[in-house]
Amino acid sequence: TPNGSRVVPMEDYLYNNRQFWLQGRITADLVDSLLTQLMIIEDDYRESGILDKTEVDVTIYIDSPGGSLTALNLYDYLKHTPLKVRTVVTGYAYSAAALIFLAGSERCMMPYSNLMFHEPNYACEKGIADEPIEMVEHITRNIKHLKDVSTGIIAEETGLTKAAIAKRITNRKWFIDAQQAIELNMADK
């Protein structure tokens, strides 16, 4: 402009355009930050009355190896918010990131992007061998529960049976390209 230019941080630019970048390893802090921003947008739209008058689009671009299953908090929010959330895989969405991708009301993948699902696992600095037997049993029950939850999410979002999904992820990683994702009802386009 005649008055010069101004620098706008990329995060601010994306936020103002209701776009978010879920990149890198998913941590509790990353999930909390994204949830906070989405809740602010939802409250702003609710207070202004826009939520009652039109569909509101929010886009989450995903390029992540996955990470913490605190991602389920984000999945739950995305499934229950009145915001219309478009999820777009720009490179890869593995593990917990793939579950977040499935939460989109519109799910898009770039032509050479990939999804990957696998069984939940246990990561600890000490190692499971250093845990008392009762803790190992508790951890095992929790991992089995998380496997059932994640398998249930995939089944609910795609129409595949839990048995078919379990067969694909038990003791292995299930990689899915964009075309396969469309065929399996994981992606819309």
Side-chain angles (χ1 to χ4, degrees), residues 118-146:
H118 65 89
E119 293 180 297
N121 52 45
Y122 175 74
C124 178
E125 287 180 20
K126 296 188 322 182
I128 201 161
D130 296 327
E131 299 286 356
I133 189 69
E134 292 82 12
M135 182 56 76
V136 172
E137 290 170 348
H138 172 73
I139 291 167
T140 302
R141 279 192 306 275
N142 192 45
I143 290 172
K144 286 179 179 179
H145 171 73
L146 290 172

mmCIF file of all heavy atoms in Angstrom, residues 118-146:
data_model
loop_
_atom_site.group_PDB
_atom_site.id
_atom_site.type_symbol
_atom_site.label_atom_id
_atom_site.label_comp_id
_atom_site.label_asym_id
_atom_site.label_seq_id
_atom_site.Cartn_x
_atom_site.Cartn_y
_atom_site.Cartn_z
ATOM 1 N N HIS A 118 -1.992 -48.621 12.404
ATOM 2 C CA HIS A 118 -1.321 -49.739 13.064
ATOM 3 C C HIS A 118 -1.917 -49.905 14.450
ATOM 4 O O HIS A 118 -2.686 -49.071 14.922
ATOM 5 C CB HIS A 118 0.200 -49.516 13.143
ATOM 6 C CG HIS A 118 0.598 -48.353 14.003
ATOM 7 N ND1 HIS A 118 0.829 -48.463 15.350
ATOM 8 C CD2 HIS A 118 0.791 -47.040 13.693
ATOM 9 C CE1 HIS A 118 1.153 -47.281 15.844
ATOM 10 N NE2 HIS A 118 1.130 -46.395 14.857
ATOM 11 N N GLU A 119 -1.528 -50.979 15.111
ATOM 12 C CA GLU A 119 -1.977 -51.196 16.485
ATOM 13 C C GLU A 119 -1.328 -50.154 17.395
ATOM 14 O O GLU A 119 -0.181 -49.753 17.161
ATOM 15 C CB GLU A 119 -1.541 -52.575 16.973
ATOM 16 C CG GLU A 119 -2.207 -53.728 16.274
ATOM 17 C CD GLU A 119 -1.735 -55.056 16.808
ATOM 18 O OE1 GLU A 119 -0.534 -55.357 16.671
ATOM 19 O OE2 GLU A 119 -2.567 -55.783 17.369
ATOM 20 N N PRO A 120 -2.025 -49.719 18.432
ATOM 21 C CA PRO A 120 -1.378 -48.833 19.401
ATOM 22 C C PRO A 120 -0.208 -49.566 20.058
ATOM 23 O O PRO A 120 -0.205 -50.795 20.138
ATOM 24 C CB PRO A 120 -2.474 -48.545 20.432
ATOM 25 C CG PRO A 120 -3.749 -48.963 19.797
ATOM 26 C CD PRO A 120 -3.414 -49.992 18.768
ATOM 27 N N ASN A 121 0.766 -48.817 20.507
ATOM 28 C CA ASN A 121 1.890 -49.438 21.194
ATOM 29 C C ASN A 121 2.222 -48.655 22.455
ATOM 30 O O ASN A 121 1.665 -47.604 22.709
ATOM 31 C CB ASN A 121 3.107 -49.577 20.276
ATOM 32 C CG ASN A 121 3.472 -48.276 19.615
ATOM 33 O OD1 ASN A 121 3.508 -47.239 20.249
ATOM 34 N ND2 ASN A 121 3.741 -48.322 18.321
ATOM 35 N N TYR A 122 3.135 -49.204 23.220
ATOM 36 C CA TYR A 122 3.517 -48.624 24.505
ATOM 37 C C TYR A 122 4.936 -48.086 24.399
ATOM 38 O O TYR A 122 5.835 -48.797 23.970
ATOM 39 C CB TYR A 122 3.438 -49.694 25.601
ATOM 40 C CG TYR A 122 3.917 -49.234 26.955
ATOM 41 C CD1 TYR A 122 3.141 -48.386 27.721
ATOM 42 C CD2 TYR A 122 5.138 -49.656 27.456
ATOM 43 C CE1 TYR A 122 3.565 -47.965 28.970
ATOM 44 C CE2 TYR A 122 5.574 -49.240 28.702
ATOM 45 C CZ TYR A 122 4.776 -48.393 29.451
ATOM 46 O OH TYR A 122 5.209 -47.971 30.682
ATOM 47 N N ALA A 123 5.099 -46.839 24.752
ATOM 48 C CA ALA A 123 6.434 -46.235 24.749
ATOM 49 C C ALA A 123 6.708 -45.675 26.141
ATOM 50 O O ALA A 123 5.895 -44.952 26.705
ATOM 51 C CB ALA A 123 6.510 -45.123 23.716
ATOM 52 N N CYS A 124 7.854 -46.038 26.689
ATOM 53 C CA CYS A 124 8.226 -45.586 28.025
ATOM 54 C C CYS A 124 9.744 -45.540 28.101
ATOM 55 O O CYS A 124 10.425 -46.405 27.542
ATOM 56 C CB CYS A 124 7.661 -46.545 29.067
ATOM 57 S SG CYS A 124 8.108 -46.135 30.760
ATOM 58 N N GLU A 125 10.258 -44.531 28.778
ATOM 59 C CA GLU A 125 11.710 -44.411 28.913
ATOM 60 C C GLU A 125 12.320 -45.620 29.608
ATOM 61 O O GLU A 125 13.362 -46.117 29.225
ATOM 62 C CB GLU A 125 12.063 -43.148 29.691
ATOM 63 C CG GLU A 125 11.851 -41.876 28.908
ATOM 64 C CD GLU A 125 12.210 -40.650 29.722
ATOM 65 O OE1 GLU A 125 12.962 -40.775 30.719
ATOM 66 O OE2 GLU A 125 11.734 -39.567 29.368
ATOM 67 N N LYS A 126 11.671 -46.113 30.665
ATOM 68 C CA LYS A 126 12.209 -47.229 31.439
ATOM 69 C C LYS A 126 12.092 -48.542 30.686
ATOM 70 O O LYS A 126 12.938 -49.405 30.812
ATOM 71 C CB LYS A 126 11.466 -47.369 32.765
ATOM 72 C CG LYS A 126 11.609 -46.211 33.697
ATOM 73 C CD LYS A 126 11.012 -46.469 35.068
ATOM 74 C CE LYS A 126 9.747 -47.248 35.101
ATOM 75 N NZ LYS A 126 9.168 -47.437 36.417
ATOM 76 N N GLY A 127 11.029 -48.703 29.956
ATOM 77 C CA GLY A 127 10.762 -49.989 29.329
ATOM 78 C C GLY A 127 9.788 -50.780 30.173
ATOM 79 O O GLY A 127 9.736 -50.632 31.389
ATOM 80 N N ILE A 128 9.023 -51.603 29.518
ATOM 81 C CA ILE A 128 7.985 -52.356 30.220
ATOM 82 C C ILE A 128 8.572 -53.398 31.170
ATOM 83 O O ILE A 128 7.957 -53.775 32.164
ATOM 84 C CB ILE A 128 6.997 -52.984 29.206
ATOM 85 C CG1 ILE A 128 5.689 -53.306 29.903
ATOM 86 C CG2 ILE A 128 7.605 -54.181 28.510
ATOM 87 C CD1 ILE A 128 4.531 -53.489 28.972
ATOM 88 N N ALA A 129 9.794 -53.864 30.886
ATOM 89 C CA ALA A 129 10.413 -54.883 31.745
ATOM 90 C C ALA A 129 10.675 -54.359 33.158
ATOM 91 O O ALA A 129 10.785 -55.138 34.099
ATOM 92 C CB ALA A 129 11.722 -55.368 31.119
ATOM 93 N N ASP A 130 10.752 -53.045 33.322
ATOM 94 C CA ASP A 130 11.011 -52.456 34.636
ATOM 95 C C ASP A 130 9.734 -52.181 35.426
ATOM 96 O O ASP A 130 9.795 -51.671 36.536
ATOM 97 C CB ASP A 130 11.790 -51.144 34.474
ATOM 98 C CG ASP A 130 13.167 -51.373 33.885
ATOM 99 O OD1 ASP A 130 13.754 -52.431 34.167
ATOM 100 O OD2 ASP A 130 13.637 -50.504 33.130
ATOM 101 N N GLU A 131 8.580 -52.520 34.850
ATOM 102 C CA GLU A 131 7.306 -52.273 35.508
ATOM 103 C C GLU A 131 6.887 -53.493 36.327
ATOM 104 O O GLU A 131 7.168 -54.625 35.943
ATOM 105 C CB GLU A 131 6.216 -51.993 34.462
ATOM 106 C CG GLU A 131 6.460 -50.773 33.598
ATOM 107 C CD GLU A 131 6.236 -49.469 34.329
ATOM 108 O OE1 GLU A 131 5.817 -49.471 35.510
ATOM 109 O OE2 GLU A 131 6.488 -48.414 33.717
ATOM 110 N N PRO A 132 6.183 -53.289 37.459
ATOM 111 C CA PRO A 132 5.631 -54.423 38.207
ATOM 112 C C PRO A 132 4.561 -55.131 37.358
ATOM 113 O O PRO A 132 3.953 -54.519 36.485
ATOM 114 C CB PRO A 132 5.015 -53.791 39.453
ATOM 115 C CG PRO A 132 5.182 -52.331 39.330
ATOM 116 C CD PRO A 132 5.925 -52.014 38.086
ATOM 117 N N ILE A 133 4.326 -56.387 37.626
ATOM 118 C CA ILE A 133 3.411 -57.204 36.824
ATOM 119 C C ILE A 133 2.013 -56.601 36.754
ATOM 120 O O ILE A 133 1.370 -56.624 35.703
ATOM 121 C CB ILE A 133 3.364 -58.675 37.323
ATOM 122 C CG1 ILE A 133 2.585 -59.552 36.344
ATOM 123 C CG2 ILE A 133 2.741 -58.757 38.705
ATOM 124 C CD1 ILE A 133 3.277 -59.765 35.042
ATOM 125 N N GLU A 134 1.530 -56.014 37.861
ATOM 126 C CA GLU A 134 0.200 -55.403 37.853
ATOM 127 C C GLU A 134 0.147 -54.236 36.868
ATOM 128 O O GLU A 134 -0.851 -54.036 36.183
ATOM 129 C CB GLU A 134 -0.199 -54.913 39.259
ATOM 130 C CG GLU A 134 -0.422 -56.019 40.249
ATOM 131 C CD GLU A 134 0.879 -56.548 40.864
ATOM 132 O OE1 GLU A 134 1.948 -55.914 40.701
ATOM 133 O OE2 GLU A 134 0.833 -57.622 41.494
ATOM 134 N N MET A 135 1.253 -53.468 36.782
ATOM 135 C CA MET A 135 1.300 -52.350 35.847
ATOM 136 C C MET A 135 1.342 -52.864 34.403
ATOM 137 O O MET A 135 0.700 -52.299 33.525
ATOM 138 C CB MET A 135 2.504 -51.452 36.127
ATOM 139 C CG MET A 135 2.571 -50.243 35.204
ATOM 140 S SD MET A 135 1.076 -49.206 35.230
ATOM 141 C CE MET A 135 1.277 -48.366 36.770
ATOM 142 N N VAL A 136 2.074 -53.930 34.162
ATOM 143 C CA VAL A 136 2.139 -54.518 32.816
ATOM 144 C C VAL A 136 0.742 -54.975 32.386
ATOM 145 O O VAL A 136 0.326 -54.743 31.246
ATOM 146 C CB VAL A 136 3.152 -55.681 32.762
ATOM 147 C CG1 VAL A 136 3.075 -56.417 31.428
ATOM 148 C CG2 VAL A 136 4.566 -55.173 33.016
ATOM 149 N N GLU A 137 0.011 -55.598 33.311
ATOM 150 C CA GLU A 137 -1.351 -56.029 33.006
ATOM 151 C C GLU A 137 -2.253 -54.827 32.707
ATOM 152 O O GLU A 137 -3.058 -54.862 31.774
ATOM 153 C CB GLU A 137 -1.915 -56.861 34.155
ATOM 154 C CG GLU A 137 -1.249 -58.212 34.287
ATOM 155 C CD GLU A 137 -1.638 -58.956 35.563
ATOM 156 O OE1 GLU A 137 -2.250 -58.338 36.475
ATOM 157 O OE2 GLU A 137 -1.313 -60.157 35.655
ATOM 158 N N HIS A 138 -2.113 -53.777 33.493
ATOM 159 C CA HIS A 138 -2.896 -52.556 33.272
ATOM 160 C C HIS A 138 -2.560 -51.946 31.910
ATOM 161 O O HIS A 138 -3.458 -51.547 31.155
ATOM 162 C CB HIS A 138 -2.613 -51.548 34.398
ATOM 163 C CG HIS A 138 -3.217 -50.209 34.161
ATOM 164 N ND1 HIS A 138 -4.573 -49.978 34.269
ATOM 165 C CD2 HIS A 138 -2.647 -49.025 33.792
ATOM 166 C CE1 HIS A 138 -4.815 -48.710 33.985
ATOM 167 N NE2 HIS A 138 -3.666 -48.110 33.700
ATOM 168 N N ILE A 139 -1.280 -51.850 31.596
ATOM 169 C CA ILE A 139 -0.845 -51.295 30.308
ATOM 170 C C ILE A 139 -1.400 -52.139 29.162
ATOM 171 O O ILE A 139 -1.905 -51.597 28.171
ATOM 172 C CB ILE A 139 0.699 -51.222 30.249
ATOM 173 C CG1 ILE A 139 1.205 -50.151 31.222
ATOM 174 C CG2 ILE A 139 1.186 -50.931 28.824
ATOM 175 C CD1 ILE A 139 2.711 -50.218 31.481
ATOM 176 N N THR A 140 -1.341 -53.446 29.303
ATOM 177 C CA THR A 140 -1.847 -54.348 28.264
ATOM 178 C C THR A 140 -3.342 -54.148 28.047
ATOM 179 O O THR A 140 -3.810 -54.066 26.900
ATOM 180 C CB THR A 140 -1.542 -55.816 28.631
ATOM 181 O OG1 THR A 140 -0.132 -55.955 28.806
ATOM 182 C CG2 THR A 140 -2.030 -56.767 27.560
ATOM 183 N N ARG A 141 -4.108 -54.058 29.130
ATOM 184 C CA ARG A 141 -5.560 -53.811 29.004
ATOM 185 C C ARG A 141 -5.820 -52.483 28.310
ATOM 186 O O ARG A 141 -6.702 -52.386 27.452
ATOM 187 C CB ARG A 141 -6.228 -53.825 30.388
ATOM 188 C CG ARG A 141 -6.537 -55.195 30.927
ATOM 189 C CD ARG A 141 -7.446 -55.139 32.153
ATOM 190 N NE ARG A 141 -6.937 -54.277 33.218
ATOM 191 C CZ ARG A 141 -6.062 -54.658 34.150
ATOM 192 N NH1 ARG A 141 -5.602 -55.894 34.156
ATOM 193 N NH2 ARG A 141 -5.656 -53.808 35.072
ATOM 194 N N ASN A 142 -5.048 -51.459 28.669
ATOM 195 C CA ASN A 142 -5.233 -50.145 28.080
ATOM 196 C C ASN A 142 -4.909 -50.156 26.582
ATOM 197 O O ASN A 142 -5.629 -49.571 25.779
ATOM 198 C CB ASN A 142 -4.373 -49.108 28.804
ATOM 199 C CG ASN A 142 -4.739 -47.705 28.418
ATOM 200 O OD1 ASN A 142 -5.913 -47.361 28.349
ATOM 201 N ND2 ASN A 142 -3.739 -46.892 28.127
ATOM 202 N N ILE A 143 -3.836 -50.824 26.205
ATOM 203 C CA ILE A 143 -3.470 -50.904 24.786
ATOM 204 C C ILE A 143 -4.553 -51.651 24.006
ATOM 205 O O ILE A 143 -4.938 -51.238 22.907
ATOM 206 C CB ILE A 143 -2.086 -51.570 24.605
ATOM 207 C CG1 ILE A 143 -0.995 -50.631 25.118
ATOM 208 C CG2 ILE A 143 -1.831 -51.921 23.139
ATOM 209 C CD1 ILE A 143 0.391 -51.252 25.175
ATOM 210 N N LYS A 144 -5.085 -52.737 24.572
ATOM 211 C CA LYS A 144 -6.166 -53.475 23.912
ATOM 212 C C LYS A 144 -7.402 -52.596 23.758
ATOM 213 O O LYS A 144 -8.070 -52.622 22.719
ATOM 214 C CB LYS A 144 -6.499 -54.752 24.681
ATOM 215 C CG LYS A 144 -5.458 -55.833 24.519
ATOM 216 C CD LYS A 144 -5.828 -57.078 25.322
ATOM 217 C CE LYS A 144 -4.773 -58.155 25.131
ATOM 218 N NZ LYS A 144 -5.094 -59.367 25.907
ATOM 219 N N HIS A 145 -7.698 -51.813 24.793
ATOM 220 C CA HIS A 145 -8.838 -50.894 24.713
ATOM 221 C C HIS A 145 -8.617 -49.858 23.609
ATOM 222 O O HIS A 145 -9.525 -49.586 22.819
ATOM 223 C CB HIS A 145 -9.056 -50.208 26.062
ATOM 224 C CG HIS A 145 -10.049 -49.101 26.009
ATOM 225 N ND1 HIS A 145 -11.398 -49.328 25.875
ATOM 226 C CD2 HIS A 145 -9.889 -47.750 26.030
ATOM 227 C CE1 HIS A 145 -12.027 -48.166 25.830
ATOM 228 N NE2 HIS A 145 -11.132 -47.200 25.924
ATOM 229 N N LEU A 146 -7.417 -49.278 23.551
ATOM 230 C CA LEU A 146 -7.126 -48.284 22.519
ATOM 231 C C LEU A 146 -7.180 -48.894 21.120
ATOM 232 O O LEU A 146 -7.609 -48.233 20.164
ATOM 233 C CB LEU A 146 -5.768 -47.628 22.770
ATOM 234 C CG LEU A 146 -5.710 -46.705 23.981
ATOM 235 C CD1 LEU A 146 -4.277 -46.269 24.249
ATOM 236 C CD2 LEU A 146 -6.631 -45.502 23.793
#
